[in-house]
Amino acid sequence: MAKNEIKYLTAIKQEKPKKKFCRFKKYGIKYVDYKDIEFLKKFINEQGKMLPRRLSGNSLKYQRKVADAVKKARQMSLLPYVTDLLK
Amino acid sequence: MNNYELMVIFTPVLSEEDFKSAQKKYQDFIKENGGDTVASNPWGLKSLAYPIDKKTTGIYWILEFTAPSTVNEKLKIQFLRDEQIMRHMITKLDKYAVEYNHIKRNGGFPVHKAVEA
């Protein structure tokens, strides 16, 4: 056993992750517009890749709509396919 | 009669009146084939996220129209033939999309949309 390994008597209390909610259900947004870049930027990371559902917290139905809108925006070069420090 | 939304990117070297005449040409083309335009929204010169045909800027134009489903195929042929157009995309609008565009045009959204997340 490594000499300097610190042993805790009780488990370290991790900070409870913020309860994720599907913003589409909460705010009643029904349509994801592929032209609305600022809104779509919330669902992609710095490299321009789409965030998975576990990070974006969307429900399946709206995650697919977001994915569809992001792909359309990329097709019409409103969003880059790959980049760095997008935000 | 379905609702469609057309987005077109013209080459940046297009002059203002060419841009206007191209818009008019396509709107008349849709009218001839039994459709009619709901709203035309030219964005003008915008920089592209990645270069298309070695060009980094393009003139965007968005047209919302209703047309029978046979029109899109003819429209596509026109776009492919026209060399001023770099890229085009026609999307079908469902009822939520139509409502969204309608709200967006006259009067913005209620404030709470901006404050979310």
Side-chain angles (χ1 to χ4, degrees):
Chain A
M1 212 199 17
K3 206 72 201 87
N4 46 24
E5 195 194 312
I6 309 154
K7 285 197 85 60
Y8 290 97
L9 285 178
T10 66
I12 314 156
K13 173 106 186 43
Q14 291 118 342
E15 172 255 324
K16 195 173 161 316
K18 185 164 67 63
K19 179 77 192 65
K20 283 204 174 32
F21 60 89
C22 170
R23 65 178 76 216
F24 294 93
K25 279 203 196 110
K26 194 148 191 282
Y27 298 113
I29 307 165
K30 283 280 190 298
Y31 169 66
V32 183
D33 189 10
Y34 65 93
K35 306 190 288 296
D36 190 352
I37 306 304
E38 292 319 313
F39 184 61
L40 288 184
K41 275 197 176 142
K42 295 189 171 105
F43 299 106
I44 56 177
N45 62 7
E46 281 76 30
Q47 280 84 25
K49 292 155 70 170
M50 275 186 271
L51 291 178
R53 263 179 69 206
R54 66 173 188 279
L55 297 183
S56 65
N58 293 341
S59 58
L60 179 59
K61 174 179 166 184
Y62 291 105
Q63 175 73 10
R64 284 201 184 123
K65 285 188 176 167
V66 165
D68 187 42
V70 165
K71 285 169 193 165
K72 279 184 190 154
R74 283 177 178 161
Q75 162 80 15
M76 296 310 284
S77 96
L78 299 168
L79 280 180
Y81 278 92
V82 67
T83 175
D84 39 16
L85 270 315
L86 173 83
K87 297 254 167 51
Chain B
M1 286 295 269
N2 309 338
N3 296 29
Y4 295 107
E5 183 180 76
L6 157 74
M7 180 186 256
V8 173
I9 307 180
F10 290 93
T11 56
V13 294
L14 205 65
S15 65
E16 195 48 39
E17 65 275 357
D18 284 355
F19 181 40
K20 287 239 174 339
S21 63
Q23 284 177 25
K24 207 156 155 27
K25 184 175 87 172
Y26 288 115
Q27 282 178 357
D28 299 346
F29 182 84
I30 292 172
K31 245 183 216 22
E32 280 152 28
N33 295 348
D36 64 345
T37 65
V38 173
S40 162
N41 172 11
W43 282 1
L45 201 65
K46 224 167 104 64
S47 67
L48 302 175
Y50 53 85
I52 301 176
D53 318 344
K54 313 290 184 295
K55 299 182 184 61
T56 56
T57 59
I59 300 180
Y60 279 78
W61 173 48
I62 295 164
L63 176 74
E64 204 187 322
F65 62 98
T66 61
S69 51
T70 57
V71 175
N72 285 340
E73 204 45 45
K74 299 191 198 101
L75 210 52
K76 196 156 75 83
I77 294 164
Q78 295 293 329
F79 288 140
L80 295 178
R81 191 176 293 141
D82 183 343
E83 73 279 354
Q84 281 176 350
I85 290 180
M86 289 196 289
R87 200 164 281 193
H88 65 277
M89 179 165 77
I90 302 177
T91 45
K92 188 173 192 309
L93 297 178
D94 55 7
K95 62 182 183 332
Y96 299 122
V98 171
E99 183 210 336
Y100 174 88
N101 285 342
H102 185 66
I103 292 173
K104 202 94 164 120
R105 262 197 307 279
N106 14 23
F109 273 82
V111 175
H112 82 274
K113 178 144 192 333
V115 87
E116 37 115 23

